[in-house]
Coordinates of all heavy atoms in Angstrom, one line a residue:
T737 N 0.8 -1.2 0.0 CA 0.0 0.0 0.0 C 0.9 1.2 0.0 O 0.6 2.2 -0.7 CB -0.9 0.0 1.2 OG1 -1.7 -1.2 1.2 CG2 -1.8 1.2 1.2
A738 N 2.0 1.2 0.8 CA 2.8 2.4 0.9 C 3.5 2.6 -0.5 O 3.7 3.7 -0.9 CB 3.9 2.2 2.0
A739 N 3.9 1.5 -1.1 CA 4.6 1.6 -2.4 C 3.6 2.1 -3.5 O 4.0 2.9 -4.3 CB 5.1 0.2 -2.9
T740 N 2.4 1.7 -3.4 CA 1.4 2.2 -4.3 C 1.2 3.7 -4.2 O 1.1 4.5 -5.1 CB 0.0 1.5 -4.1 OG1 0.3 0.1 -4.3 CG2 -1.0 1.9 -5.1
L741 N 1.0 4.2 -2.9 CA 0.9 5.6 -2.6 C 2.1 6.4 -3.2 O 1.9 7.5 -3.7 CB 0.7 5.8 -1.2 CG -0.6 5.3 -0.6 CD1 -0.7 5.5 0.9 CD2 -1.8 6.0 -1.2
A742 N 3.3 5.9 -2.9 CA 4.5 6.6 -3.4 C 4.5 6.7 -4.9 O 4.8 7.7 -5.5 CB 5.7 5.9 -2.9
A743 N 4.0 5.6 -5.6 CA 4.0 5.6 -7.0 C 3.0 6.6 -7.6 O 3.2 7.3 -8.6 CB 3.7 4.2 -7.6
V744 N 1.8 6.7 -6.8 CA 0.8 7.7 -7.2 C 1.4 9.1 -7.1 O 1.1 10.0 -7.9 CB -0.5 7.4 -6.4 CG1 -1.4 8.6 -6.6 CG2 -1.1 6.1 -6.7
V745 N 2.1 9.3 -6.0 CA 2.7 10.7 -5.7 C 3.7 11.0 -6.8 O 3.7 12.1 -7.4 CB 3.3 10.7 -4.3 CG1 4.0 12.1 -4.2 CG2 2.2 10.6 -3.3
V746 N 4.6 10.0 -7.1 CA 5.5 10.2 -8.2 C 4.9 10.4 -9.5 O 5.2 11.3 -10.3 CB 6.6 9.1 -8.2 CG1 7.5 9.2 -9.4 CG2 7.4 9.0 -6.9
S747 N 3.9 9.6 -9.8 CA 3.2 9.8 -11.1 C 2.5 11.1 -11.2 O 2.5 11.8 -12.2 CB 2.2 8.6 -11.2 OG 1.4 8.8 -12.4
T748 N 1.9 11.6 -10.1 CA 1.2 12.9 -10.1 C 2.1 14.0 -10.3 O 1.9 14.9 -11.1 CB 0.4 13.0 -8.8 OG1 -0.5 12.0 -8.6 CG2 -0.4 14.3 -8.8
S749 N 3.3 14.0 -9.6 CA 4.3 15.0 -9.8 C 4.9 15.0 -11.1 O 5.1 16.0 -11.8 CB 5.4 14.9 -8.7 OG 6.0 13.6 -8.9
G750 N 5.0 13.8 -11.7 CA 5.5 13.7 -13.1 C 4.5 14.3 -14.1 O 4.9 14.9 -15.0
V751 N 3.2 14.1 -13.8 CA 2.2 14.7 -14.7 C 2.3 16.2 -14.7 O 2.2 16.9 -15.6 CB 0.8 14.2 -14.4 CG1 -0.2 14.9 -15.1 CG2 0.8 12.7 -14.7
V752 N 2.5 16.7 -13.4 CA 2.5 18.2 -13.3 C 3.7 18.7 -14.0 O 3.7 19.7 -14.7 CB 2.6 18.5 -11.8 CG1 2.8 20.0 -11.6 CG2 1.3 18.1 -11.1
V753 N 4.9 18.0 -13.9 CA 6.1 18.5 -14.6 C 5.9 18.4 -16.0 O 6.3 19.3 -16.8 CB 7.3 17.7 -14.1 CG1 8.5 18.1 -14.9 CG2 7.6 17.9 -12.6
A754 N 5.3 17.4 -16.5 CA 5.0 17.2 -17.9 C 4.1 18.3 -18.5 O 4.3 18.8 -19.6 CB 4.4 15.8 -18.2
D755 N 3.1 18.7 -17.6 CA 2.2 19.8 -18.0 C 3.0 21.1 -18.1 O 2.7 22.0 -19.0 CB 1.1 19.9 -17.1 CG 0.1 18.7 -17.2 OD1 0.2 18.1 -18.3 OD2 -0.6 18.5 -16.3
E756 N 4.0 21.3 -17.2 CA 4.7 22.6 -17.2 C 5.7 22.7 -18.4 O 5.7 23.6 -19.1 CB 5.4 22.8 -15.9 CG 4.4 23.0 -14.7 CD 5.2 23.2 -13.4 OE1 6.4 23.0 -13.4 OE2 4.5 23.5 -12.4
V757 N 6.5 21.7 -18.5 CA 7.5 21.7 -19.6 C 7.5 20.3 -20.2 O 7.8 19.3 -19.6 CB 8.9 22.0 -19.1 CG1 9.9 22.0 -20.2 CG2 8.9 23.4 -18.4
K758 N 7.2 20.2 -21.5 CA 7.2 18.9 -22.2 C 8.6 18.6 -22.6 O 9.4 19.5 -23.0 CB 6.3 19.0 -23.4 CG 4.8 19.1 -23.0 CD 4.0 19.1 -24.3 CE 2.5 19.2 -23.9 NZ 1.6 19.2 -25.1
P759 N 9.0 17.4 -22.5 CA 10.4 17.0 -23.0 C 10.6 17.4 -24.4 O 9.7 17.1 -25.3 CB 10.5 15.5 -22.7 CG 9.4 15.3 -21.7 CD 8.3 16.3 -22.0
G760 N 11.8 17.9 -24.7 CA 12.1 18.2 -26.1 C 11.5 19.5 -26.7 O 11.6 19.7 -27.9
T761 N 10.9 20.3 -25.9 CA 10.3 21.6 -26.3 C 10.9 22.7 -25.6 O 11.4 22.6 -24.5 CB 8.8 21.6 -26.1 OG1 8.5 21.4 -24.8 CG2 8.1 20.4 -26.9
V762 N 10.9 23.9 -26.2 CA 11.4 25.1 -25.6 C 10.2 25.9 -25.0 O 9.2 26.1 -25.6 CB 12.1 26.0 -26.7 CG1 12.6 27.3 -26.0 CG2 13.2 25.2 -27.3
P763 N 10.3 26.3 -23.7 CA 9.2 27.0 -23.1 C 9.0 28.3 -23.8 O 9.9 29.0 -24.3 CB 9.7 27.2 -21.6 CG 11.2 27.0 -21.7 CD 11.5 26.1 -22.8
A764 N 7.7 28.7 -23.9 CA 7.3 29.9 -24.5 C 7.9 31.1 -23.8 O 7.8 31.2 -22.5 CB 5.8 30.0 -24.7
A765 N 8.4 32.1 -24.5 CA 8.9 33.3 -23.9 C 7.8 34.2 -23.4 O 6.7 34.3 -24.0 CB 9.8 34.1 -24.9
K766 N 8.0 34.8 -22.3 CA 7.1 35.8 -21.7 C 7.0 37.0 -22.6 O 8.0 37.5 -23.2 CB 7.4 36.2 -20.3 CG 7.4 35.0 -19.3 CD 7.8 35.5 -17.9 CE 7.7 34.3 -16.9 NZ 8.0 34.8 -15.5
P767 N 5.8 37.6 -22.7 CA 5.6 38.8 -23.5 C 6.4 39.9 -23.0 O 6.5 40.1 -21.7 CB 4.1 39.1 -23.5 CG 3.6 38.4 -22.3 CD 4.5 37.2 -22.1
A768 N 7.1 40.7 -23.8 CA 7.9 41.8 -23.4 C 7.0 42.9 -22.8 O 5.9 43.2 -23.3 CB 8.7 42.4 -24.6
P769 N 7.5 43.6 -21.8 CA 6.7 44.7 -21.2 C 6.6 45.8 -22.2 O 7.4 46.0 -23.0 CB 7.5 45.1 -19.9 CG 8.9 44.7 -20.3 CD 8.8 43.4 -21.1
P770 N 5.5 46.6 -22.1 CA 5.3 47.7 -23.0 C 6.4 48.7 -22.8 O 6.9 48.9 -21.7 CB 3.9 48.2 -22.7 CG 3.7 47.8 -21.2 CD 4.4 46.5 -21.1
P771 N 6.8 49.4 -23.9 CA 7.8 50.5 -23.7 C 7.3 51.6 -22.9 O 6.1 51.9 -22.8 CB 8.0 50.9 -25.2 CG 6.7 50.6 -25.9 CD 6.2 49.3 -25.2
P772 N 8.2 52.3 -22.2 CA 7.8 53.4 -21.3 C 7.1 54.5 -22.1 O 7.5 54.8 -23.3 CB 9.1 53.9 -20.7 CG 10.1 53.4 -21.6 CD 9.6 52.1 -22.2
A773 N 6.1 55.1 -21.5 CA 5.4 56.2 -22.2 C 6.3 57.4 -22.4 O 7.0 57.8 -21.5 CB 4.2 56.6 -21.5
G774 N 6.4 57.9 -23.6 CA 7.2 59.1 -23.9 C 6.5 60.4 -23.5 O 5.4 60.4 -22.9
P775 N 7.1 61.5 -23.7 CA 6.5 62.8 -23.3 C 5.2 63.0 -24.1 O 5.1 62.6 -25.3 CB 7.6 63.8 -23.7 CG 8.4 63.1 -24.7 CD 8.4 61.7 -24.4
P776 N 4.2 63.7 -23.5 CA 3.0 63.9 -24.2 C 3.2 64.7 -25.5 O 4.0 65.6 -25.5 CB 2.1 64.7 -23.2 CG 3.1 65.3 -22.3 CD 4.3 64.3 -22.2
A777 N 2.5 64.3 -26.5 CA 2.6 65.1 -27.8 C 2.1 66.5 -27.7 O 1.1 66.7 -27.0 CB 1.8 64.3 -28.9

């Protein structure tokens, strides 16, 4: 029973990791912040 629970925990954490970053793929870059507002026209 203890081994089963450990496997479930490992499997669950592995699913979470797989959801975050898939093997062999590059994580998407975060969008760049907007440029600072210039002086009013």
